[in-house]
């Protein structure tokens, strides 16, 4: 199957690579020449504009996967594809778009006969080797048509034990991807996924902060412990009920430097945590932990603790996010509308 891939950054480039390794054909575009040229050497057809990418797609219906930052850049790309593509073609947004924008875009493109799929994509910089967990929204016939693409990108069964009692449920979930529902449903599920991620990361961060501060001079001498955080993280990975990939990433960072000196403790939020809390407000659902985790990130931009360094280390581990100092201007809302 042939697929256009637009945006060849940390995830987009590796999505194209994983597809090509599975025997799929990729036509790629990025405004920066270096990732285009690198993928061309690996077998992709590299183009220098969206129009050229659409022209190079020979298979009908044509399908274009956008892996761009949420906001105006994605909005502009979807609008341009709406002018370039024909009835029956498919646009896939694999970034972290606000689900209400998906609903609006799908409605607009449907008026032109173009099908729109939103694909919440988790896997970060490890996706090339591990595969990508995908939560997909959009019309069933378009999702089914692209099943070879999703199956190639997904992790597959791997060595994870099968869940008892699933019976005859959709087997795609066990392989790492689902059709969550109509347009917007995929990114809604991914949004809540990232909100949960905030809470899990915050729990680890606070726990390691408590461990690190146990040798404080403010405590009675016989209650002070100088604890080895790299060893604690490592032992928790081995059979503990709190083991996880996030803990694996924390252990890697602590093993490299127990003081996490390369991390400032300034922690960004990419939007999904805010949107998850907004959804909880709309639904009148209590979200105490997720809200507190979001607000902790806000606080981190003014005062930094060791816990925030743990957060930064995990974010760098799964997504390559490099935290800096607090920007002079307020952080913009990543939604386009």
């Amino acid at each position: 199957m042939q697929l256009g891939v637009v945006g060849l950054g940390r995830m987009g480039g590796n999505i194209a690579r994983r597809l090509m390794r599975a025997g799929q054909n990729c036509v790629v575009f990025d405004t920066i020449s270096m990732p285009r040229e690198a993928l061309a050497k690996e077998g992709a057809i590299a183009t220098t504009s969206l129009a050229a990418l659409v022209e190079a797609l020979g298979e009908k219906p044509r399908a274009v996967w956008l892996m761009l930052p949420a906001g105006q850049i994605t909005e502009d790309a979807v609008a341009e594809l709406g002018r370039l593509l024909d009835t029956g073609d498919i646009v896939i947004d694999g970034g972290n778009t606000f689900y209400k924008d998906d609903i609006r875009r799908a409605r607009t493109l449907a008026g032109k006969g173009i099908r729109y799929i939103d694909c919440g994509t988790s896997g970060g910089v490890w996706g090339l080797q591990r595969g990508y967990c995908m939560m997909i929204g959009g019309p069933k016939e378009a999702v089914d048509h692209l099943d070879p693409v999703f199956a190639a990108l997904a992790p597959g069964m791997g060595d994870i034990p099968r869940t008892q009692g699933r019976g005859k449920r959709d087997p795609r979930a066990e392989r790492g991807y689902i059709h969550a529902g109509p347009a917007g449903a995929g990114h809604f599920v991914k949004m809540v996924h990232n909100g949960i991620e905030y809470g899990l990361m915050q729990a680890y961060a606070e726990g390691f902060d408590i461990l690190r501060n146990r040798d404080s001079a403010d405590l009675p001498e016989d209650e002070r412990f100088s604890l080895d955080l790299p060893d604690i993280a490592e032992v928790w990975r081995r059979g503990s009920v709190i083991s996880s990939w996030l803990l694996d990433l924390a252990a890697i960072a602590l093993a490299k430097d127990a003081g996490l000196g390369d991390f400032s403790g300034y922690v960004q939020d990419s939007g999904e945590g805010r949107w998850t809390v907004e959804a909880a407000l709309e639904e009148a659902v209590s979200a105490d932990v997720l809200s507190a985790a979001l607000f902790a990130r806000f606080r981190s931009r003014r005062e930094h603790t060791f816990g925030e360094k743990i957060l930064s280390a995990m974010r760098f581990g799964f997504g390559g996010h490099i935290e800096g100092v607090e920007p002079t201007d307020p952080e913009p809302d990543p939604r386009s509308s």
Side-chain angles (χ1 to χ4, degrees), residues 144-194:
D144 289 348
H145 173 74
L146 291 171
D147 190 74
V149 168
F150 299 129
L153 290 173
M157 293 288 292
D159 57 1
I160 298 173
R162 301 192 72 174
T163 301
Q164 295 181 8
R166 279 195 58 84
K168 297 181 179 180
R169 301 188 67 84
D170 190 338
R172 291 177 295 183
E174 292 184 303
R175 300 200 295 268
Y177 64 109
I178 61 169
H179 182 199
H187 276 147
F188 185 83
V189 175
K190 176 58 162 53
M191 176 190 78
V192 177
H193 162 284
N194 282 27

Side-chain angles (χ1 to χ4, degrees), residues 1-238:
M1 178 170 282
Q2 189 181 52
L3 184 75
V5 180
V6 178
L8 307 176
R10 288 190 296 257
M11 289 182 69
N14 282 343
I15 282 172
R17 289 184 176 92
R18 188 169 174 89
L19 287 171
M20 289 191 294
R21 290 180 184 182
Q24 310 289 344
N25 298 314
C26 289
V27 180
V28 300
F29 166 63
D30 194 287
T31 56
I32 301 172
S33 62
M34 185 163 44
R36 295 197 310 258
E37 293 166 358
L39 281 163
K41 291 177 181 178
E42 297 175 44
I45 298 172
T47 61
T48 56
S49 68
L50 270 181
L53 178 139
V54 171
E55 183 67 25
L57 289 170
E59 292 184 9
K60 292 286 188 81
R62 293 170 293 190
V64 180
W65 183 301
L66 301 177
M67 207 66 194
L68 300 168
Q72 196 59 48
I73 186 171
T74 299
E75 193 74 26
D76 292 344
V78 171
E80 185 171 356
L81 287 172
R83 294 188 290 270
L84 294 169
L85 295 174
D86 297 327
T87 297
D89 290 341
I90 305 169
V91 174
I92 310 109
D93 180 4
N96 284 324
T97 289
F98 186 48
Y99 73 97
K100 293 184 181 180
D101 287 340
D102 290 314
I103 296 169
R104 171 179 51 78
R105 292 173 188 165
R107 187 184 304 120
T108 300
L109 291 178
K112 304 175 182 179
I114 299 169
R115 297 171 289 177
Y116 180 89
I117 290 175
D118 54 290
C119 182
T121 310
S122 181
V125 296
W126 296 72
L128 178 60
Q129 292 77 29
R130 293 169 57 109
Y132 299 91
C133 172
M134 290 167 289
M135 297 136 270
I136 306 160
K140 181 180 185 303
E141 67 279 5
V143 174
D144 289 348
H145 173 74
L146 291 171
D147 190 74
V149 168
F150 299 129
L153 290 173
M157 293 288 292
D159 57 1
I160 298 173
R162 301 192 72 174
T163 301
Q164 295 181 8
R166 279 195 58 84
K168 297 181 179 180
R169 301 188 67 84
D170 190 338
R172 291 177 295 183
E174 292 184 303
R175 300 200 295 268
Y177 64 109
I178 61 169
H179 182 199
H187 276 147
F188 185 83
V189 175
K190 176 58 162 53
M191 176 190 78
V192 177
H193 162 284
N194 282 27
I196 292 170
E197 175 189 292
Y198 279 38
L200 292 172
M201 292 173 69
Q202 186 64 28
Y204 284 124
E206 292 175 8
F208 279 107
D209 209 3
I210 293 168
L211 292 168
R212 184 175 186 270
N213 285 285
R214 197 60 209 176
D215 62 353
S216 169
D218 295 333
L219 295 170
E221 188 172 356
D222 61 352
E223 295 181 13
R224 300 175 200 165
F225 309 131
S226 180
L227 300 168
D228 190 314
L229 299 191
D231 280 1
I232 291 171
E234 188 63 30
V235 77
W236 282 352
R237 295 180 62 221
R238 311 292 173 171

